[in-house]
Amino acid sequence: KTLIAGSARLPELVLHIGTRSAELNFSMSSDLAALRTAAEDWASLDPNPKTASHVTALLGRADREGEGGGAVAELRVLFGGPRISFGTAGLRGPMRPGPRSMNDLVVVQAAQGIASYIKDAEGGEVSPATRPTVVVGRDHRARGEFGLSSERFARYTKLVFDRAEIDCLLLEGLVATPILAFATRYLGATAGIMVTASHNPKDDNGYKVYWSGGCQIRPPMDREIAKAIDENLRPWTDYGAALAEAEAEGRGLGDGPRTEKIEEAYFLSVRALRTLPEDGGESDLKFAYTSMHGVGYPYAKRSFDEFGIPGPLLAVPSQR
């Protein structure tokens, strides 16, 4: 019989001790106990009430439905495998609860690891005169049922770096990835972080890390940052409360004027590469453009204009 103690489910045993049936039952129930522990621990740290309550509700359903129910199957998807890995491409995965996916807690943990890595590189301490700078940009991705979005991920990232006493510029609004890479070099920043999943499906998100040269990180830096993330999994403060306070005070956390200045500098650099004469004449050439799930169209359109490329840039209205 199945025994219940409080909210914790004890291993299910059958009386045929020594048989294959008993071994399988014990293994399955031990798996469920591990899933429950992992899910409860994760939900207790999650700053997002929607994803935390979703996991709590799954645990309740798992108790009622038993091992063959849909709740247990979902718990296995969310918690029954290795943690989302950090590599040269940063993080990338579906937006949903759990340590295997992109969500508020995973982003906080990643930002804490990167902040710790930067501070260690600076000797463990930073002073107001020598503070490192990190630039953060984001796209428009969101998954409403879980309250997850690139905007929230970017805001949490800024809160983490503020907490670590590292200067952090959050670019205002939506920006294309090349703007973030350019800003990292333009400002002489230590690092840049872009919240986007490029061409991935719309319910995915990602966390790309650029270093001071404006390029994505390379080995062995990715492994060193991954190690720092694993050493900083517990949130340093109540980031959910900090974000709620900022939103209640109307603080968007982004810097509009500095973002505009960086974008203008970017397009000036594009214009400086121009090889066509000012009066390039007309052309029958037509260019089709898709940003897929990205936000690049306005930047591509202006880059075409600045570079003097004749001919229309065509895009599906919904992809602009």
Side-chain angles (χ1 to χ4, degrees):
K1 296 181 178 180
T2 301
L3 303 177
I4 303 293
S7 62
R9 191 170 187 177
L10 298 180
E12 180 180 353
L13 300 176
V14 296
L15 295 180
H16 308 293
I17 303 299
T19 66
R20 181 61 176 163
S21 175
E23 292 171 1
L24 289 174
N25 254 309
F26 184 81
S27 176
M28 182 175 291
S29 297
S30 298
D31 172 54
L32 290 179
L35 282 175
R36 170 173 286 282
T37 298
E40 288 176 338
D41 289 348
W42 188 89
S44 70
L45 299 177
D46 186 12
N48 185 319
K50 285 190 176 181
T51 45
S53 62
H54 181 80
V55 171
T56 302
L58 278 179
L59 290 169
R61 281 178 50 204
D63 282 340
R64 296 190 299 273
E65 296 174 359
E67 294 169 353
V72 171
E74 186 173 350
L75 284 170
R76 286 199 173 100
V77 170
L78 300 180
F79 297 95
R83 177 182 174 82
I84 186 172
S85 61
F86 182 92
T88 54
L91 300 171
R92 190 170 295 188
M95 286 185 283
R96 61 189 183 190
R100 307 183 65 198
S101 307
M102 292 296 299
N103 51 67
D104 292 356
L105 179 56
V106 164
V107 165
V108 162
Q109 292 167 335
Q112 288 186 163
I114 296 167
S116 178
Y117 177 83
I118 290 173
K119 293 185 75 171
D120 286 347
E122 297 290 328
E125 294 184 9
V126 294
S127 67
T130 61
R131 276 189 176 186
T133 299
V134 173
V135 190
V136 179
R138 53 100 178 178
D139 66 11
H140 67 312
R141 289 168 179 263
R143 190 166 183 187
E145 73 255 43
F146 290 136
L148 299 171
S149 67
S150 295
E151 182 177 16
R152 284 179 66 91
F153 295 169
R155 289 181 173 183
Y156 274 124
T157 299
K158 176 169 173 56
L159 290 173
V160 169
F161 284 108
D162 287 348
R163 176 78 178 180
E165 298 183 325
I166 294 173
D167 288 338
C168 182
L169 169 62
L170 174 56
L171 299 175
E172 181 69 27
L174 310 177
V175 298
T177 302
I179 300 294
L180 183 281
F182 175 85
T184 304
R185 292 184 62 181
Y186 179 75
L187 297 175
T190 301
I193 296 172
M194 183 67 195
V195 184
T196 184
S198 300
H199 55 275
N200 277 44
K202 66 182 181 64
D203 286 336
D204 284 9
N205 217 323
Y207 206 70
K208 297 182 178 181
V209 181
Y210 295 76
W211 218 245
S212 54
C215 297
Q216 286 184 250
I217 57 172
R218 297 182 294 274
M221 188 180 291
D222 59 328
R223 295 189 295 272
E224 294 167 351
I225 292 176
K227 181 175 181 292
I229 292 171
D230 288 341
E231 293 170 349
N232 289 275
L233 296 180
R234 182 168 293 277
W236 296 337
T237 189
D238 186 345
Y239 291 107
L243 181 60
E245 180 181 346
E247 292 174 341
E249 295 174 355
R251 291 188 284 120
L253 302 179
D255 191 324
R258 291 181 73 187
T259 303
E260 184 176 348
K261 180 180 178 180
I262 290 167
E263 289 184 344
E264 289 304 314
Y266 173 82
F267 289 116
L268 281 174
S269 72
V270 170
R271 189 175 183 83
L273 299 172
R274 177 176 177 150
T275 57
L276 296 173
E278 288 294 330
D279 183 10
E282 299 296 325
S283 172
D284 292 331
L285 292 175
K286 296 180 181 180
F287 297 89
Y289 175 86
T290 176
S291 59
M292 298 185 75
H293 300 296
V295 296
Y297 176 77
Y299 298 95
K301 178 67 170 66
R302 183 168 172 186
S303 293
F304 264 59
D305 294 341
E306 295 287 353
F307 205 67
I309 298 177
L313 181 65
L314 307 174
V316 177
S318 62
Q319 295 182 1
R320 296 180 181 178

